[in-house]
């Protein structure tokens, strides 16, 4: 872990919150209005089919949120909960049945899948026109060719968050730490499309801080608690924290949250853990101009963008000509 930089008291508390909750609510409101208009003008109600395998509690919560949010916005939803011991063939048969059903517009298969199932085979079996997670190679290819497509929800949400907070992307130097297919790589494509100069960092990057410290926009999608510290951040940068990590240790929470730690410690005592991002909050707030909170940042946008993708899939695959 790199050492953090020395900061004076006057420099504390500079960062403003990049409020994911507000932007997510805006997007959901827009989707709700458009879903209502679609029903009124063409009689179509979009439908999202969510598939979950096994009893992973986190997956159950994620899918539950997605299904509930769909219903709130007027999108029909189906929740297919399958036993952990299901075979790959059985899961593929379900995906195929959803592919051919005309009333289903979006299909999402919640990851991770149990070890006996080939994740890639399942994701690649989804009809690209219904691939609301944007993981199918056809959609990945279209994204890299700058063609309109279904874009992975977390990176798409991060772009909305930056744009709606009027953080200039064009001409900015953006650094993405993490190169996963779900977050880092598609996000780098989206930033590049918007004329940022983009660097992608990963576990083999040498002297990470010297690279990240140049960035006007720094995005952390690593999966390591408080890994991005003051010394990684340029003064005045916008810092987007994608990470979702559990902290159960009260001393660690105190170190991460300083004077704000009491609420977190209460949460640890009540729930057994508190959620923390990849960015060290106290240190980041002393250096950055903007920071997304965890929770309440990127995670909420991911669900909102899934709703937007479902609406988009419904309109495009049905060839509906509609001007909202
Ligand atoms: P992955 O594990 O797939 O990728 C992590 C990336 O971080 C890899 O590219 C890895 O590098 C890089 N990395 C690991 N250690 C270091 C290091 N020491 N220095 C620099 N880079 C490093 O994770 P995901 O992209 O799926 O997720 C990242 C985080 O975001 C997780 O905490 C996840 O829970 C969260 N997440 C949150 C979402 C939300 O909606 N808020 C949605 C999706 C994810 P390498 O490739 O070299 O191994």
């Amino acid at each position: 872990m790199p050492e953090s930089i020395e900061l004076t008291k006057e420099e504390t508390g500079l960062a403003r919150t990049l409020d994911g909750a507000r932007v997510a609510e805006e997007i959901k409101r827009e989707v709700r209005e458009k879903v209502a208009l679609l029903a009124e003008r063409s009689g179509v109600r979009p439908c999202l089919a969510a598939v979950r395998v096994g009893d992973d509690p986190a997956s159950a919560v994620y899918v539950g949120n997605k299904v509930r949010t769909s219903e709130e916005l007027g999108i029909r939803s189906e929740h297919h909960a399958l036993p952990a011991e299901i075979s790959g063939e059985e899961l593929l048969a379900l995906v195929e049945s959803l592919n051919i059903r005309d009333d289903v517009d979006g299909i999402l298969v919640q990851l991770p899948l149990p070890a006996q199932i080939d994740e890639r085979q399942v994701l690649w079996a989804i009809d690209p026109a219904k691939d609301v997670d944007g993981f199918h190679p056809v959609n990945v290819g279209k994204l890299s060719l700058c063609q309109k497509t279904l874009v992975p929800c977390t990176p798409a949400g991060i772009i909305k968050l930056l744009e709606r907070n009027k953080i200039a992307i064009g001409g900015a130097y953006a650094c993405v730490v993490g190169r996963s297919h779900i977050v880092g790589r598609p996000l780098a494509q989206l930033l590049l499309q918007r004329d940022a100069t983009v660097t992608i960092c990963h576990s083999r990057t040498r002297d990470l801080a010297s690279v990240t410290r140049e960035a006007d926009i720094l995005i952390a999608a690593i999966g390591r608690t408080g890994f991005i510290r003051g010394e990684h951040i340029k003064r005045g940068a916008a810092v987007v924290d994608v990470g979702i990590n559990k902290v159960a240790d009260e001393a660690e929470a105190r170190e991460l949250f300083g004077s704000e730690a009491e609420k977190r410690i209460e949460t640890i005592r009540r729930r057994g853990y508190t959620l923390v991002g990849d960015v060290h909050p106290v240190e980041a707030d002393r250096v950055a101009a903007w920071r997304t909170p965890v929770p309440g940042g990127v995670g909420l946008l991911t669900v909102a963008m899934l709703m937007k993708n479902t609406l988009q899939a419904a309109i495009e695959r049905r060839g509906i000509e509609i001007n909202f």
Side-chain angles (χ1 to χ4, degrees), residues 76-315:
R76 202 161 61 77
S77 65
E78 291 180 2
H79 185 172
H80 299 265
L82 307 172
E85 48 303 336
I86 191 173
S87 69
E89 288 69 31
E90 286 169 296
L91 183 53
L92 284 170
L94 172 63
V95 168
E96 192 45 37
S97 71
L98 296 170
N99 278 344
I100 59 179
R101 270 179 52 195
D102 194 43
D103 63 317
V104 171
D105 296 294
I107 303 170
L108 82 84
V109 176
Q110 186 67 44
L111 303 178
L113 292 171
Q116 78 275 14
I117 296 176
D118 180 344
E119 209 164 89
R120 192 172 72 166
Q121 198 182 16
V122 173
L123 295 181
W124 290 23
I126 295 171
D127 178 351
K130 299 186 179 187
D131 170 37
V132 283
D133 269 333
F135 297 158
H136 191 283
V138 166
N139 290 322
V140 175
K142 283 184 171 175
L143 176 62
S144 68
L145 293 168
C146 305
Q147 290 180 13
K148 190 166 195 290
T149 189
L150 292 165
V151 173
C153 302
T154 302
I158 292 168
I159 296 292
K160 289 275 180 223
L161 183 66
L162 295 172
E163 287 179 342
R164 295 202 177 185
N165 281 285
K166 302 202 165 22
I167 290 173
I169 301 176
Y173 178 31
C175 182
V176 182
V177 189
R179 57 176 163 177
S180 73
H181 295 291
I182 294 174
V183 188
R185 284 171 204 256
L187 180 58
Q189 293 283 358
L190 293 171
L191 290 163
L192 192 58
Q193 276 179 20
R194 285 160 182 77
D195 299 321
T197 301
V198 184
T199 301
I200 307 179
C201 297
H202 46 78
S203 65
R204 304 291 300 277
T205 300
R206 267 183 309 195
D207 193 4
L208 182 71
S210 72
V211 183
T212 58
R213 215 169 31 230
E214 297 297 314
D216 306 307
I217 299 171
L218 175 59
I219 291 130
I222 309 166
R224 296 184 65 172
T225 306
F227 182 80
I228 296 294
R229 312 202 56 135
E231 72 154 18
H232 292 93
I233 301 170
K234 178 178 175 176
R235 188 161 297 280
V239 179
V240 177
D241 191 352
V242 186
I244 303 176
N245 310 292
K246 287 183 180 177
V247 167
D249 181 60
E250 294 186 11
E252 191 179 1
R254 268 186 229 289
E255 196 277 323
L256 285 159
F257 293 100
S259 59
E260 303 286 309
E262 282 316 311
K263 267 192 260 161
R264 298 300 188 127
I265 287 165
E266 248 175 60
T267 308
I268 293 175
R269 288 182 185 159
R270 193 169 21 105
R271 200 201 284 165
Y273 64 87
T274 184
L275 293 178
V276 180
D278 291 341
V279 176
H280 192 296
V282 166
E283 291 193 13
D285 285 355
R286 290 173 183 161
V287 190
W290 297 91
R291 180 177 67 82
T292 57
V294 177
V298 173
L300 299 171
L301 282 155
T302 300
V303 179
M305 295 313 289
L306 177 71
M307 301 300 119
K308 191 166 182 296
N309 276 357
T310 305
L311 173 64
Q312 183 185 328
I315 293 169

